[in-house]
Amino acid sequence: MAAWATSLGVQMTNSRNRYLLLGISLMLGGALFAIAAYAVIGYMPLVALGVASVILGAISFFLGRTVPGVSVEAGQALFEAGLDNIASLVEELGLRSRAIYLPTSLTNGVPRALIPLHGNPASPTVGQRLEQRLIVRFGPGPEDRGILVATPGSAVLASLDLKGVSTDTDLEGALSAAIVGGLDLANRVTVLGTDENRTVEIFRPTLKLRHHPVYQVLGSPLASIVATLTAEIVGRPVSIVAEEAGKRGRHTVQIRLYDEVKA
Amino acid sequence: MTLYNRYVATLAVLFTSTTVVLAVYNQQRLDLYFSLYLIEYLASTLLFVYLKPRARRLLNMMGYVLFGGFTVVVAMRMGQILGLPGLR
């Protein structure tokens, strides 16, 4: 157990240390190289190369200070444990409906996904703010009950600053900032379509996870992040219609936006 | 390749290419190298729009420091042109 914890601890700090170590090495090595090149042979291109190394080292050092302490591998291990718990719940309740991702305006400030207990309604009418409970009533009908669960996207949304991103014209930029910049999970994100149905293309995703049964309900982690962010930005419930891992590292997620609802 | 790796690799390639090209033309002026490094740094940082806000803040600080160095280089060059003592 202790060995496992130590190994995990080393993994958690590895990626961060890589940039810091590289930065310190380049700064020290570059400075020594530049001084030696100037003092011994007085050849300016080599001195300039030393200066370039110092600049690169400083950049790497600064970047290392912004890398989170958790490595991708450790994050995946923790993440899959969380998914297993949700999968057990979904399986036990026999749920087959697609989750509906709700904006925080409908969930008392905490991003959640609603999994209807009795199949997907054509157009969910969430008439009030949902309580922070596991089983909630989301409409007037007797079958309008579902469970509220946290999703991978919920955790991501909490760590992002979406101030100033309020219209869906910013959607592509916001998704790119979150998936490419904030999480570093892909190279590029594009959004196609303007009305109820949108297609989000994610290029070269780096998150490689084994297929999980709960993906049929919640969608893959990438799709979940896309749906959560979209719901929050446009202020409307969103569900994942389909997703496909295409050729050349292109992951396509089709989402549907439901009508705007007033809480 | 992660975003940070791409950013660092891009700068490494640009700096090395600049050094090699200027060395081929036998340039011995350190201020010229430094000025080009600064331009490449600023352009690359601008093009990598999706860097994290904290990383961007730190890199902006770094840009100020480099720009300060550039200002010193320019001041020294102006001093040389104006023939100030000690800068010849």
Side-chain angles (χ1 to χ4, degrees):
Chain A
M1 182 69 185
W4 178 82
T6 309
S7 156
L8 192 64
V10 169
Q11 272 191 342
M12 283 182 177
T13 53
N14 260 352
S15 59
R16 184 181 182 131
N17 279 347
R18 210 174 294 150
Y19 287 106
L20 292 179
L21 283 175
L22 177 70
I24 293 168
S25 308
L26 280 175
M27 280 193 285
L28 287 177
L32 289 174
F33 184 78
I35 292 167
Y38 183 75
V40 178
I41 51 176
Y43 187 56
M44 284 305 162
L46 289 183
V47 179
L49 202 59
V51 172
S53 296
V54 173
I55 296 172
L56 266 182
I59 290 165
S60 180
F61 183 81
F62 282 136
L63 290 180
R65 294 188 59 175
T66 67
V67 172
V70 182
S71 72
V72 174
E73 292 80 7
Q76 282 187 0
L78 299 171
F79 174 72
E80 288 192 3
L83 275 185
D84 284 340
N85 288 331
I86 298 178
S88 304
L89 183 66
V90 167
E91 198 173 323
E92 195 66 26
L93 292 172
L95 300 176
R96 291 289 176 268
S97 319
R98 283 277 189 180
I100 299 167
Y101 289 82
L102 301 172
T104 52
S105 58
L106 294 174
T107 55
N108 281 318
V110 185
R112 290 281 185 266
L114 173 73
I115 307 173
L117 292 176
H118 301 285
N120 279 92
S123 180
T125 50
V126 183
Q128 57 192 8
R129 282 173 188 256
L130 300 179
E131 293 176 60
Q132 284 300 313
R133 299 174 58 178
L134 178 65
I135 299 173
V136 291
R137 177 188 284 271
F138 62 88
E143 294 189 340
D144 292 341
R145 286 196 172 89
I147 64 167
L148 268 188
V149 292
T151 65
S154 308
V156 169
L157 188 62
S159 66
L160 289 175
D161 182 13
L162 287 178
K163 281 177 191 167
V165 182
S166 54
T167 61
D168 59 357
T169 52
D170 299 328
L171 185 59
E172 186 173 305
L175 289 177
S176 298
I179 295 171
V180 180
L183 299 168
D184 208 359
L185 290 178
N187 277 10
R188 192 160 61 93
V189 176
T190 59
V191 180
L192 306 171
T194 51
D195 296 325
E196 286 182 348
N197 297 303
R198 310 282 173 95
T199 301
V200 181
E201 291 181 332
I202 303 162
F203 295 86
R204 297 186 184 280
T206 54
L207 192 63
K208 306 290 181 199
L209 293 169
R210 63 185 167 85
H211 184 74
H212 201 285
V214 81
Y215 289 177
Q216 288 181 343
V217 175
L218 291 177
S220 72
L222 271 178
S224 167
I225 292 167
V226 166
T228 306
L229 289 174
T230 306
E232 189 60 26
I233 291 165
V234 302
R236 295 162 63 178
V238 168
S239 72
I240 299 162
V241 178
E243 63 175 305
E244 182 187 8
K247 292 176 182 174
R248 297 180 183 175
R250 179 185 296 192
H251 192 96
T252 308
V253 181
Q254 288 178 28
I255 54 175
R256 180 181 173 197
L257 276 62
Y258 291 100
D259 290 337
E260 194 166 359
V261 287
K262 303 274 185 217
Chain B
M1 193 184 268
T2 66
L3 187 67
Y4 283 3
N5 286 351
R6 268 184 283 151
Y7 177 67
V8 173
T10 302
L11 281 173
V13 169
L14 284 173
F15 288 175
T16 311
S17 311
T18 305
T19 310
V20 169
V21 169
L22 291 182
V24 166
Y25 286 99
N26 199 25
Q27 284 292 336
Q28 297 293 320
R29 290 161 52 199
L30 194 58
D31 55 341
L32 178 64
Y33 288 91
F34 189 77
S35 307
L36 287 175
Y37 294 157
L38 175 65
I39 291 167
E40 287 162 355
Y41 169 78
L42 293 175
S44 303
T45 307
L46 204 64
L47 287 174
F48 279 75
V49 287
Y50 295 125
L51 288 169
K52 289 177 191 172
R54 182 152 185 259
R56 189 161 286 284
R57 271 198 302 277
L58 289 170
L59 291 174
N60 283 344
M61 276 171 49
M62 170 96 186
Y64 296 142
V65 172
L66 290 178
F67 188 74
F70 176 73
T71 310
V72 170
V73 168
V74 171
M76 288 175 71
R77 179 64 63 187
M78 284 176 66
Q80 281 179 345
I81 292 168
L82 295 172
L84 294 179
L87 289 175
R88 280 189 177 277

